[in-house]
Amino acid sequence: MTSLRALLAAFLSGYPFLSLAVPGPPTADPCAKIAGRVFVPPADALACYKSFPFNETIRQNVLTNVARVFDFFTFENYYLNSPPPFQESTANIRASLSKLSKAEFQTDYDFHRALYDFTTQLNDGHTRYFPNCYTIFQNLLPAPAISLEVNGVQSLYIAPDSVEFFSLLGTEYTGYFDSINFNWKRLAGAKILQVEGMDPYAYVDLIAKTVSGNYLDHGIRVNSVFTSYRISAADFSQRLGDFAGPVDVSKSFLTLRLITVNSTKAETVKIPFLANYFGEDFTDKDSYWANNCAADDATNGIDIRSQSSSARSIKKQPKADVIDLSDSKGVGLPEQFHPTAPPTAGSDDVIKSYILPGNKTGVMFVGSFSPRNFGRFQSDTVAAITAFKAAGVSQLLIDLTNNGGPASYIVFLKESDPYPCPSGGYVCLGQFLHQYLAGSQIGYPGFQSTQRGNLLARKVVAAHVAMGDDDVSTFYSPANWAFLNGTIFPNTYNYDEPVSPLVVNGQFDPTSQRFHDTCEFSFSQPIPETPPFDLSKVAIVSNGNCASTCAMFSTLMNERHGTKIAVFGGKPSEQMEFKGMAGNQVLEWFDLDTEIKSVGLKDDPLAPPDLIVNSNFRHNWRTAWSFLDESKPIGVLSLDLL
Ligand SMILES: *[C@@H]1O[C@H](CO)[C@@H](O)[C@H](O)[C@H]1NC(C)=O
Ligand SMILES: *[C@@H]1O[C@H](CO)[C@@H](O)[C@H](O)[C@H]1NC(C)=O
Ligand SMILES: *[C@@H]1O[C@H](CO)[C@@H](O)[C@H](O)[C@H]1NC(C)=O
Ligand SMILES: *[C@@H]1O[C@H](CO)[C@@H](O)[C@H](O)[C@H]1NC(C)=O
């Protein structure tokens, strides 16, 4: 109305039409419309995302950064022909980047979304591009899906605990559904017959293929689609799953054909999503961009030579984890679904341990290898094992369900930690748990490892060697690693020269020499000489969502001790791996940039430029080589080849 009237007024007053059309009447700012709200309809969130026009400068900056970071990605050439059963991940990374550099995009969101989708579909949680600007809404559907067996038949259902679970979100969430008179509670436990007109498991496969990411194995990604329990921070919580909680606002509704509990009648229900915002405060489009999208102090790395001498020598612990964009302290697992057995000592953090009735079996639920405190994880392990022994426990079950689980298990309240928690965790805690269970007599508790020997990496290592006693303690520093006999590299030892020749899918891909981690030096608890439990009485159970350090730990247990691993979930009659990742260590963009800046190589033509937007392109920086077949990275060796 307003604009028509303005047009008419302008026309009548003799203004030329065109000059009016350019500035136009003040259009509503789609970001201002949603400012200050925790929950918004996804279409409104999308309108804000799409309000920033495509910008070629940003594209070139981001793609140059991404291309040069990919030089460090240890699995690049494996992707050219991903081995069975991981064919779905096959990709020509350079060709895809070239396409992205030429494609036409309407908005900045469209470009970033295409890049985000491309890296997500590499299905390596260590190697993903996260544009902060466009990954700060999580779409929440009050109908999470789970595959259940009823009378011997597996089907897809809406989680029976949905009412208890979503009620924990409070009226800010549920009030929206009241306001539009949508009764979501009656859907709990309903049997799903179709999703968006598709067979329900075909829809699950589609989400596993396009949205879930993080794991090479499709079967494991199927479990990411479902809702599931886990430990988040130190508490039990429930992942929504990628069916009902994608970090993506492009869908406003999901249309299901279903039969509700106690009914026999199939009906079609269009269920609305409601998006949850977990970014920085803003008031309008400009402040949305400034506070969420523009690069800030934490986007790019630092030259640690410019820091205090104590900061220079702090040894960082290597991490292998996946980023759970929707991790939060906000909502837990409804109390009534917590384990009823009393926890043993050492259960206040990421490990929760229980003794099953009869005192025969001890259960350690190891929620992550990313505890609040590095030493605490170790003392909690000792406390649990000590309690098991005291109670006469003779067999041990380790639950690794959702250890390092991927994105979107649930929801944020605005006041919760705005930065996603890394899941998975510290490489050395995986090695600690392995060593503690297996005893010191097994020797080195990890895998052989390498980095990629690209030209810039070799210059970085050479720069460390040149610094000698004045070296900075970043990850490329020789003193972080050891020869295969366990002796730590002298700080003048160049482990990249000569590089070791490697050919992957016909591509020459030189790597560093092989080396060992030096985790033993960070163990704060004494390691028993012999295993506390007969290793044949130790088993592992999980839903396969066992990322990074968890994948390494379970592979070590399986390869070196023949540990039995049971995986539950998936869809009917589908093969599943027990872990879905191959990496040994991840570097965030900030970390890689810090490596390069701290040895004075930022001006090298091969160095990735600083990002001008607030994004993170993380990559898998080290490969772990299988114990059983030292020519193969651990995750690439599939279960049935073992
Ligand atoms: C593109 O983005 C850059 C960095 O944010 C900015 O300086 C430049 O003005 C933008 N270009 C256009 C045409 O908006
Ligand atoms: C279904 O029927 C059973 C038995 O009558 C009843 O206990 C239960 O509350 C009903 N559930 C729903 C969701 O109506
Ligand atoms: C089981 O262990 C607890 C100590 O954790 C002990 O109090 C209890 O007596 C034990 N029960 C049996 C049946 O051995
Ligand atoms: C371990 O191997 C390195 C390289 O071959 C050698 O220099 C070093 O002396 C060895 N250390 C021990 C304790 O044998």
Side-chain angles (χ1 to χ4, degrees), residues 141-145 156-159 182-198 200 243 254-271:
L141 190 79
L156 203 64
Y157 289 85
I158 293 176
F182 184 86
N183 181 357
W184 54 278
K185 292 186 176 171
R186 73 183 186 92
L187 304 177
K191 181 175 173 181
I192 301 173
L193 306 177
Q194 275 186 351
V195 185
E196 305 283 86
M198 296 169 69
F243 181 93
L254 204 64
T255 302
L256 305 192
R257 186 134 183 93
L258 50 78
I259 302 176
T260 58
V261 172
N262 292 351
S263 166
T264 52
K265 213 177 108 226
E267 55 179 313
T268 299
V269 185
K270 202 172 154 190
I271 309 175

mmCIF file of all heavy atoms in Angstrom, residues 141-145 156-159 182-198 200 243 254-271:
data_model
loop_
_atom_site.group_PDB
_atom_site.id
_atom_site.type_symbol
_atom_site.label_atom_id
_atom_site.label_comp_id
_atom_site.label_asym_id
_atom_site.label_seq_id
_atom_site.Cartn_x
_atom_site.Cartn_y
_atom_site.Cartn_z
ATOM 1 N N LEU A 141 12.144 -29.511 14.787
ATOM 2 C CA LEU A 141 10.851 -30.112 14.478
ATOM 3 C C LEU A 141 10.417 -30.904 15.705
ATOM 4 O O LEU A 141 11.170 -31.767 16.163
ATOM 5 C CB LEU A 141 11.006 -31.053 13.282
ATOM 6 C CG LEU A 141 9.733 -31.610 12.662
ATOM 7 C CD1 LEU A 141 9.106 -30.552 11.748
ATOM 8 C CD2 LEU A 141 10.035 -32.867 11.840
ATOM 9 N N PRO A 142 9.205 -30.648 16.230
ATOM 10 C CA PRO A 142 8.826 -31.355 17.461
ATOM 11 C C PRO A 142 8.423 -32.809 17.179
ATOM 12 O O PRO A 142 7.462 -33.324 17.759
ATOM 13 C CB PRO A 142 7.644 -30.525 17.981
ATOM 14 C CG PRO A 142 7.039 -29.930 16.751
ATOM 15 C CD PRO A 142 8.174 -29.695 15.784
ATOM 16 N N ALA A 143 9.172 -33.440 16.283
ATOM 17 C CA ALA A 143 8.850 -34.818 15.873
ATOM 18 C C ALA A 143 10.124 -35.538 15.446
ATOM 19 O O ALA A 143 10.280 -35.921 14.291
ATOM 20 C CB ALA A 143 7.840 -34.787 14.721
ATOM 21 N N PRO A 144 11.073 -35.745 16.383
ATOM 22 C CA PRO A 144 12.306 -36.450 16.029
ATOM 23 C C PRO A 144 12.022 -37.902 15.661
ATOM 24 O O PRO A 144 11.096 -38.515 16.196
ATOM 25 C CB PRO A 144 13.166 -36.351 17.288
ATOM 26 C CG PRO A 144 12.229 -36.048 18.402
ATOM 27 C CD PRO A 144 11.045 -35.359 17.807
ATOM 28 N N ALA A 145 12.812 -38.438 14.732
ATOM 29 C CA ALA A 145 12.531 -39.785 14.230
ATOM 30 C C ALA A 145 13.494 -40.809 14.815
ATOM 31 O O ALA A 145 14.637 -40.496 15.142
ATOM 32 C CB ALA A 145 12.650 -39.798 12.707
ATOM 33 N N LEU A 156 9.923 -46.629 10.963
ATOM 34 C CA LEU A 156 10.297 -45.324 11.484
ATOM 35 C C LEU A 156 9.148 -44.782 12.340
ATOM 36 O O LEU A 156 7.979 -44.868 11.945
ATOM 37 C CB LEU A 156 10.591 -44.378 10.309
ATOM 38 C CG LEU A 156 11.491 -43.185 10.639
ATOM 39 C CD1 LEU A 156 12.885 -43.650 11.035
ATOM 40 C CD2 LEU A 156 11.578 -42.233 9.450
ATOM 41 N N TYR A 157 9.504 -44.237 13.498
ATOM 42 C CA TYR A 157 8.512 -43.676 14.421
ATOM 43 C C TYR A 157 8.935 -42.286 14.859
ATOM 44 O O TYR A 157 10.130 -41.946 14.828
ATOM 45 C CB TYR A 157 8.391 -44.547 15.683
ATOM 46 C CG TYR A 157 7.718 -45.872 15.443
ATOM 47 C CD1 TYR A 157 8.451 -46.967 14.987
ATOM 48 C CD2 TYR A 157 6.340 -46.030 15.637
ATOM 49 C CE1 TYR A 157 7.842 -48.190 14.738
ATOM 50 C CE2 TYR A 157 5.723 -47.258 15.397
ATOM 51 C CZ TYR A 157 6.473 -48.329 14.943
ATOM 52 O OH TYR A 157 5.861 -49.534 14.704
ATOM 53 N N ILE A 158 7.977 -41.490 15.294
ATOM 54 C CA ILE A 158 8.299 -40.262 16.020
ATOM 55 C C ILE A 158 8.655 -40.693 17.441
ATOM 56 O O ILE A 158 7.968 -41.539 18.030
ATOM 57 C CB ILE A 158 7.118 -39.275 15.992
ATOM 58 C CG1 ILE A 158 6.911 -38.789 14.544
ATOM 59 C CG2 ILE A 158 7.363 -38.102 16.936
ATOM 60 C CD1 ILE A 158 5.724 -37.885 14.335
ATOM 61 N N ALA A 159 9.754 -40.152 17.967
ATOM 62 C CA ALA A 159 10.257 -40.624 19.257
ATOM 63 C C ALA A 159 9.153 -40.593 20.309
ATOM 64 O O ALA A 159 8.489 -39.567 20.488
ATOM 65 C CB ALA A 159 11.433 -39.772 19.702
ATOM 66 N N PHE A 182 -1.275 -25.804 16.746
ATOM 67 C CA PHE A 182 -0.755 -27.062 16.218
ATOM 68 C C PHE A 182 -0.480 -28.001 17.379
ATOM 69 O O PHE A 182 0.357 -27.730 18.230
ATOM 70 C CB PHE A 182 0.522 -26.826 15.399
ATOM 71 C CG PHE A 182 1.029 -28.084 14.756
ATOM 72 C CD1 PHE A 182 0.527 -28.485 13.520
ATOM 73 C CD2 PHE A 182 1.957 -28.894 15.397
ATOM 74 C CE1 PHE A 182 0.959 -29.668 12.932
ATOM 75 C CE2 PHE A 182 2.387 -30.079 14.823
ATOM 76 C CZ PHE A 182 1.890 -30.464 13.585
ATOM 77 N N ASN A 183 -1.169 -29.131 17.404
ATOM 78 C CA ASN A 183 -1.020 -30.091 18.492
ATOM 79 C C ASN A 183 0.076 -31.111 18.159
ATOM 80 O O ASN A 183 -0.166 -32.127 17.519
ATOM 81 C CB ASN A 183 -2.359 -30.802 18.740
ATOM 82 C CG ASN A 183 -2.261 -31.797 19.893
ATOM 83 O OD1 ASN A 183 -1.193 -32.004 20.462
ATOM 84 N ND2 ASN A 183 -3.388 -32.415 20.225
ATOM 85 N N TRP A 184 1.296 -30.800 18.587
ATOM 86 C CA TRP A 184 2.436 -31.692 18.305
ATOM 87 C C TRP A 184 2.500 -32.857 19.278
ATOM 88 O O TRP A 184 3.076 -33.897 18.977
ATOM 89 C CB TRP A 184 3.744 -30.897 18.350
ATOM 90 C CG TRP A 184 3.932 -30.140 19.630
ATOM 91 C CD1 TRP A 184 3.397 -28.926 19.940
ATOM 92 C CD2 TRP A 184 4.654 -30.569 20.779
ATOM 93 N NE1 TRP A 184 3.752 -28.561 21.208
ATOM 94 C CE2 TRP A 184 4.529 -29.546 21.750
ATOM 95 C CE3 TRP A 184 5.401 -31.705 21.090
ATOM 96 C CZ2 TRP A 184 5.114 -29.649 23.011
ATOM 97 C CZ3 TRP A 184 5.997 -31.801 22.335
ATOM 98 C CH2 TRP A 184 5.843 -30.768 23.288
ATOM 99 N N LYS A 185 1.875 -32.677 20.445
ATOM 100 C CA LYS A 185 1.999 -33.711 21.478
ATOM 101 C C LYS A 185 1.347 -35.030 21.050
ATOM 102 O O LYS A 185 1.813 -36.106 21.400
ATOM 103 C CB LYS A 185 1.381 -33.233 22.792
ATOM 104 C CG LYS A 185 2.168 -32.101 23.427
ATOM 105 C CD LYS A 185 1.630 -31.732 24.781
ATOM 106 C CE LYS A 185 2.504 -30.663 25.402
ATOM 107 N NZ LYS A 185 1.942 -30.107 26.619
ATOM 108 N N ARG A 186 0.272 -34.913 20.271
ATOM 109 C CA ARG A 186 -0.436 -36.135 19.891
ATOM 110 C C ARG A 186 0.390 -36.977 18.911
ATOM 111 O O ARG A 186 0.065 -38.122 18.627
ATOM 112 C CB ARG A 186 -1.806 -35.798 19.288
ATOM 113 C CG ARG A 186 -1.737 -35.223 17.898
ATOM 114 C CD ARG A 186 -3.098 -34.836 17.347
ATOM 115 N NE ARG A 186 -2.950 -34.427 15.944
ATOM 116 C CZ ARG A 186 -3.077 -35.245 14.909
ATOM 117 N NH1 ARG A 186 -3.421 -36.508 15.103
ATOM 118 N NH2 ARG A 186 -2.880 -34.812 13.686
ATOM 119 N N LEU A 187 1.491 -36.404 18.382
ATOM 120 C CA LEU A 187 2.296 -37.129 17.397
ATOM 121 C C LEU A 187 3.329 -38.063 18.033
ATOM 122 O O LEU A 187 3.892 -38.931 17.359
ATOM 123 C CB LEU A 187 3.019 -36.143 16.471
ATOM 124 C CG LEU A 187 2.114 -35.143 15.731
ATOM 125 C CD1 LEU A 187 2.950 -34.172 14.913
ATOM 126 C CD2 LEU A 187 1.122 -35.887 14.827
ATOM 127 N N ALA A 188 3.597 -37.877 19.320
ATOM 128 C CA ALA A 188 4.619 -38.701 19.979
ATOM 129 C C ALA A 188 4.317 -40.181 19.774
ATOM 130 O O ALA A 188 3.194 -40.631 20.008
ATOM 131 C CB ALA A 188 4.685 -38.373 21.462
ATOM 132 N N GLY A 189 5.294 -40.934 19.327
ATOM 133 C CA GLY A 189 5.130 -42.379 19.151
ATOM 134 C C GLY A 189 4.433 -42.788 17.864
ATOM 135 O O GLY A 189 4.275 -43.982 17.602
ATOM 136 N N ALA A 190 4.040 -41.812 17.031
ATOM 137 C CA ALA A 190 3.319 -42.164 15.792
ATOM 138 C C ALA A 190 4.221 -42.954 14.846
ATOM 139 O O ALA A 190 5.433 -42.740 14.794
ATOM 140 C CB ALA A 190 2.835 -40.893 15.091
ATOM 141 N N LYS A 191 3.599 -43.846 14.102
ATOM 142 C CA LYS A 191 4.335 -44.606 13.090
ATOM 143 C C LYS A 191 4.353 -43.796 11.788
ATOM 144 O O LYS A 191 3.306 -43.331 11.324
ATOM 145 C CB LYS A 191 3.640 -45.950 12.867
ATOM 146 C CG LYS A 191 4.343 -46.823 11.862
ATOM 147 C CD LYS A 191 3.676 -48.186 11.792
ATOM 148 C CE LYS A 191 4.290 -48.997 10.663
ATOM 149 N NZ LYS A 191 3.669 -50.313 10.550
ATOM 150 N N ILE A 192 5.540 -43.625 11.225
ATOM 151 C CA ILE A 192 5.688 -42.791 10.025
ATOM 152 C C ILE A 192 5.583 -43.671 8.772
ATOM 153 O O ILE A 192 6.343 -44.635 8.611
ATOM 154 C CB ILE A 192 7.039 -42.047 10.045
ATOM 155 C CG1 ILE A 192 7.142 -41.162 11.301
ATOM 156 C CG2 ILE A 192 7.214 -41.217 8.785
ATOM 157 C CD1 ILE A 192 8.501 -40.508 11.505
ATOM 158 N N LEU A 193 4.652 -43.334 7.885
ATOM 159 C CA LEU A 193 4.456 -44.126 6.665
ATOM 160 C C LEU A 193 5.167 -43.508 5.463
ATOM 161 O O LEU A 193 5.621 -44.219 4.560
ATOM 162 C CB LEU A 193 2.961 -44.243 6.344
ATOM 163 C CG LEU A 193 2.072 -44.774 7.475
ATOM 164 C CD1 LEU A 193 0.610 -44.755 7.044
ATOM 165 C CD2 LEU A 193 2.500 -46.193 7.864
ATOM 166 N N GLN A 194 5.230 -42.173 5.462
ATOM 167 C CA GLN A 194 5.877 -41.462 4.352
ATOM 168 C C GLN A 194 6.428 -40.140 4.873
ATOM 169 O O GLN A 194 5.866 -39.557 5.796
ATOM 170 C CB GLN A 194 4.854 -41.115 3.264
ATOM 171 C CG GLN A 194 4.609 -42.206 2.268
ATOM 172 C CD GLN A 194 3.700 -41.744 1.124
ATOM 173 O OE1 GLN A 194 3.121 -40.662 1.160
ATOM 174 N NE2 GLN A 194 3.590 -42.571 0.118
ATOM 175 N N VAL A 195 7.508 -39.685 4.244
ATOM 176 C CA VAL A 195 8.053 -38.362 4.555
ATOM 177 C C VAL A 195 8.216 -37.614 3.237
ATOM 178 O O VAL A 195 8.878 -38.125 2.326
ATOM 179 C CB VAL A 195 9.424 -38.464 5.257
ATOM 180 C CG1 VAL A 195 9.907 -37.085 5.678
ATOM 181 C CG2 VAL A 195 9.369 -39.410 6.452
ATOM 182 N N GLU A 196 7.630 -36.451 3.139
ATOM 183 C CA GLU A 196 7.683 -35.674 1.894
ATOM 184 C C GLU A 196 7.334 -36.559 0.691
ATOM 185 O O GLU A 196 7.977 -36.506 -0.348
ATOM 186 C CB GLU A 196 9.082 -35.061 1.684
ATOM 187 C CG GLU A 196 9.579 -34.210 2.842
ATOM 188 C CD GLU A 196 8.951 -32.820 2.893
ATOM 189 O OE1 GLU A 196 7.854 -32.705 3.488
ATOM 190 O OE2 GLU A 196 9.532 -31.874 2.366
ATOM 191 N N GLY A 197 6.356 -37.426 0.892
ATOM 192 C CA GLY A 197 5.904 -38.298 -0.196
ATOM 193 C C GLY A 197 6.823 -39.473 -0.479
ATOM 194 O O GLY A 197 6.572 -40.259 -1.391
ATOM 195 N N MET A 198 7.899 -39.608 0.302
ATOM 196 C CA MET A 198 8.856 -40.697 0.045
ATOM 197 C C MET A 198 8.703 -41.804 1.081
ATOM 198 O O MET A 198 8.216 -41.579 2.186
ATOM 199 C CB MET A 198 10.307 -40.163 0.149
ATOM 200 C CG MET A 198 10.678 -39.123 -0.877
ATOM 201 S SD MET A 198 12.268 -38.323 -0.471
ATOM 202 C CE MET A 198 13.411 -39.656 -0.752
ATOM 203 N N PRO A 200 9.795 -43.756 4.118
ATOM 204 C CA PRO A 200 10.508 -43.111 5.231
ATOM 205 C C PRO A 200 12.009 -43.410 5.265
ATOM 206 O O PRO A 200 12.801 -42.515 5.525
ATOM 207 C CB PRO A 200 9.815 -43.654 6.480
ATOM 208 C CG PRO A 200 8.769 -44.606 6.037
ATOM 209 C CD PRO A 200 8.643 -44.541 4.554
ATOM 210 N N PHE A 243 17.114 -35.442 11.213
ATOM 211 C CA PHE A 243 15.743 -35.434 10.699
ATOM 212 C C PHE A 243 15.003 -34.226 11.275
ATOM 213 O O PHE A 243 14.310 -33.510 10.561
ATOM 214 C CB PHE A 243 15.051 -36.730 11.137
ATOM 215 C CG PHE A 243 13.620 -36.922 10.688
ATOM 216 C CD1 PHE A 243 13.344 -37.600 9.510
ATOM 217 C CD2 PHE A 243 12.560 -36.459 11.455
ATOM 218 C CE1 PHE A 243 12.023 -37.811 9.104
ATOM 219 C CE2 PHE A 243 11.246 -36.670 11.051
ATOM 220 C CZ PHE A 243 10.978 -37.352 9.873
ATOM 221 N N LEU A 254 7.699 -30.148 7.471
ATOM 222 C CA LEU A 254 7.968 -31.492 6.996
ATOM 223 C C LEU A 254 6.602 -32.189 6.924
ATOM 224 O O LEU A 254 5.838 -32.163 7.895
ATOM 225 C CB LEU A 254 8.896 -32.231 7.960
ATOM 226 C CG LEU A 254 9.695 -33.383 7.367
ATOM 227 C CD1 LEU A 254 10.666 -32.880 6.294
ATOM 228 C CD2 LEU A 254 10.485 -34.090 8.457
ATOM 229 N N THR A 255 6.313 -32.750 5.763
ATOM 230 C CA THR A 255 5.003 -33.379 5.602
ATOM 231 C C THR A 255 5.131 -34.887 5.807
ATOM 232 O O THR A 255 5.860 -35.557 5.080
ATOM 233 C CB THR A 255 4.437 -33.067 4.205
ATOM 234 O OG1 THR A 255 4.365 -31.644 4.073
ATOM 235 C CG2 THR A 255 3.048 -33.647 4.043
ATOM 236 N N LEU A 256 4.435 -35.384 6.818
ATOM 237 C CA LEU A 256 4.494 -36.814 7.136
ATOM 238 C C LEU A 256 3.135 -37.453 6.934
ATOM 239 O O LEU A 256 2.103 -36.847 7.228
ATOM 240 C CB LEU A 256 4.897 -37.043 8.600
ATOM 241 C CG LEU A 256 6.174 -36.424 9.146
ATOM 242 C CD1 LEU A 256 6.510 -37.038 10.500
ATOM 243 C CD2 LEU A 256 7.335 -36.636 8.209
ATOM 244 N N ARG A 257 3.164 -38.667 6.461
ATOM 245 C CA ARG A 257 1.971 -39.509 6.509
ATOM 246 C C ARG A 257 2.220 -40.451 7.673
ATOM 247 O O ARG A 257 3.272 -41.088 7.764
ATOM 248 C CB ARG A 257 1.820 -40.253 5.185
ATOM 249 C CG ARG A 257 0.534 -41.047 5.084
ATOM 250 C CD ARG A 257 -0.168 -40.828 3.737
ATOM 251 N NE ARG A 257 -1.438 -41.553 3.737
ATOM 252 C CZ ARG A 257 -2.601 -41.002 4.088
ATOM 253 N NH1 ARG A 257 -2.670 -39.722 4.415
ATOM 254 N NH2 ARG A 257 -3.717 -41.722 4.102
ATOM 255 N N LEU A 258 1.264 -40.499 8.596
ATOM 256 C CA LEU A 258 1.541 -41.243 9.828
ATOM 257 C C LEU A 258 0.266 -41.802 10.446
ATOM 258 O O LEU A 258 -0.854 -41.422 10.071
ATOM 259 C CB LEU A 258 2.267 -40.332 10.831
ATOM 260 C CG LEU A 258 1.687 -38.953 11.140
ATOM 261 C CD1 LEU A 258 0.504 -39.050 12.095
ATOM 262 C CD2 LEU A 258 2.758 -38.059 11.753
ATOM 263 N N ILE A 259 0.491 -42.709 11.388
ATOM 264 C CA ILE A 259 -0.620 -43.240 12.194
ATOM 265 C C ILE A 259 -0.276 -42.964 13.650
ATOM 266 O O ILE A 259 0.758 -43.429 14.140
ATOM 267 C CB ILE A 259 -0.798 -44.759 11.991
ATOM 268 C CG1 ILE A 259 -1.043 -45.081 10.515
ATOM 269 C CG2 ILE A 259 -1.945 -45.281 12.852
ATOM 270 C CD1 ILE A 259 -1.142 -46.581 10.230
ATOM 271 N N THR A 260 -1.102 -42.176 14.326
ATOM 272 C CA THR A 260 -0.787 -41.850 15.715
ATOM 273 C C THR A 260 -1.056 -43.052 16.617
ATOM 274 O O THR A 260 -1.744 -44.003 16.231
ATOM 275 C CB THR A 260 -1.622 -40.642 16.212
ATOM 276 O OG1 THR A 260 -2.998 -40.969 16.062
ATOM 277 C CG2 THR A 260 -1.302 -39.381 15.431
ATOM 278 N N VAL A 261 -0.497 -42.969 17.827
ATOM 279 C CA VAL A 261 -0.664 -44.047 18.805
ATOM 280 C C VAL A 261 -2.158 -44.266 19.061
ATOM 281 O O VAL A 261 -2.926 -43.308 19.164
ATOM 282 C CB VAL A 261 0.051 -43.671 20.120
ATOM 283 C CG1 VAL A 261 -0.260 -44.668 21.226
ATOM 284 C CG2 VAL A 261 1.555 -43.591 19.892
ATOM 285 N N ASN A 262 -2.566 -45.508 19.145
ATOM 286 C CA ASN A 262 -3.955 -45.895 19.429
ATOM 287 C C ASN A 262 -4.921 -45.600 18.285
ATOM 288 O O ASN A 262 -6.125 -45.708 18.442
ATOM 289 C CB ASN A 262 -4.512 -45.233 20.699
ATOM 290 C CG ASN A 262 -3.823 -45.765 21.943
ATOM 291 O OD1 ASN A 262 -3.067 -46.730 21.878
ATOM 292 N ND2 ASN A 262 -4.096 -45.140 23.064
ATOM 293 N N SER A 263 -4.388 -45.202 17.131
ATOM 294 C CA SER A 263 -5.278 -44.983 15.994
ATOM 295 C C SER A 263 -4.957 -46.042 14.945
ATOM 296 O O SER A 263 -3.903 -46.684 14.996
ATOM 297 C CB SER A 263 -5.043 -43.585 15.417
ATOM 298 O OG SER A 263 -5.652 -43.481 14.146
ATOM 299 N N THR A 264 -5.844 -46.249 14.030
ATOM 300 C CA THR A 264 -5.567 -47.172 12.928
ATOM 301 C C THR A 264 -5.637 -46.415 11.604
ATOM 302 O O THR A 264 -5.464 -46.986 10.541
ATOM 303 C CB THR A 264 -6.594 -48.324 12.887
ATOM 304 O OG1 THR A 264 -7.904 -47.739 12.907
ATOM 305 C CG2 THR A 264 -6.423 -49.274 14.057
ATOM 306 N N LYS A 265 -5.913 -45.113 11.727
ATOM 307 C CA LYS A 265 -6.158 -44.314 10.527
ATOM 308 C C LYS A 265 -4.911 -43.549 10.104
ATOM 309 O O LYS A 265 -4.315 -42.815 10.900
ATOM 310 C CB LYS A 265 -7.290 -43.320 10.839
ATOM 311 C CG LYS A 265 -8.163 -43.005 9.645
ATOM 312 C CD LYS A 265 -9.298 -42.069 10.027
ATOM 313 C CE LYS A 265 -9.042 -40.707 9.460
ATOM 314 N NZ LYS A 265 -9.211 -39.563 10.257
ATOM 315 N N ALA A 266 -4.525 -43.721 8.832
ATOM 316 C CA ALA A 266 -3.393 -42.939 8.331
ATOM 317 C C ALA A 266 -3.851 -41.522 8.040
ATOM 318 O O ALA A 266 -4.961 -41.308 7.550
ATOM 319 C CB ALA A 266 -2.850 -43.582 7.063
ATOM 320 N N GLU A 267 -3.002 -40.538 8.378
ATOM 321 C CA GLU A 267 -3.332 -39.146 8.076
ATOM 322 C C GLU A 267 -2.075 -38.425 7.628
ATOM 323 O O GLU A 267 -0.963 -38.869 7.882
ATOM 324 C CB GLU A 267 -3.929 -38.456 9.304
ATOM 325 C CG GLU A 267 -3.035 -38.555 10.521
ATOM 326 C CD GLU A 267 -3.612 -37.838 11.744
ATOM 327 O OE1 GLU A 267 -4.048 -36.692 11.583
ATOM 328 O OE2 GLU A 267 -3.592 -38.430 12.838
ATOM 329 N N THR A 268 -2.264 -37.309 6.936
ATOM 330 C CA THR A 268 -1.125 -36.509 6.485
ATOM 331 C C THR A 268 -1.035 -35.268 7.358
ATOM 332 O O THR A 268 -2.032 -34.569 7.548
ATOM 333 C CB THR A 268 -1.304 -36.128 5.001
ATOM 334 O OG1 THR A 268 -1.364 -37.342 4.247
ATOM 335 C CG2 THR A 268 -0.147 -35.282 4.505
ATOM 336 N N VAL A 269 0.141 -35.033 7.913
ATOM 337 C CA VAL A 269 0.327 -33.895 8.813
ATOM 338 C C VAL A 269 1.504 -33.064 8.335
ATOM 339 O O VAL A 269 2.584 -33.593 8.067
ATOM 340 C CB VAL A 269 0.599 -34.366 10.264
ATOM 341 C CG1 VAL A 269 0.662 -33.182 11.210
ATOM 342 C CG2 VAL A 269 -0.457 -35.360 10.719
ATOM 343 N N LYS A 270 1.266 -31.765 8.220
ATOM 344 C CA LYS A 270 2.326 -30.843 7.823
ATOM 345 C C LYS A 270 2.868 -30.223 9.109
ATOM 346 O O LYS A 270 2.209 -29.389 9.733
ATOM 347 C CB LYS A 270 1.694 -29.782 6.907
ATOM 348 C CG LYS A 270 2.646 -29.080 6.007
ATOM 349 C CD LYS A 270 1.848 -28.202 5.022
ATOM 350 C CE LYS A 270 2.704 -27.057 4.551
ATOM 351 N NZ LYS A 270 1.943 -26.060 3.792
ATOM 352 N N ILE A 271 4.043 -30.663 9.523
ATOM 353 C CA ILE A 271 4.579 -30.254 10.831
ATOM 354 C C ILE A 271 5.514 -29.055 10.649
ATOM 355 O O ILE A 271 6.459 -29.128 9.865
ATOM 356 C CB ILE A 271 5.348 -31.413 11.498
ATOM 357 C CG1 ILE A 271 4.479 -32.681 11.500
ATOM 358 C CG2 ILE A 271 5.776 -31.057 12.910
ATOM 359 C CD1 ILE A 271 5.198 -33.903 12.028
#
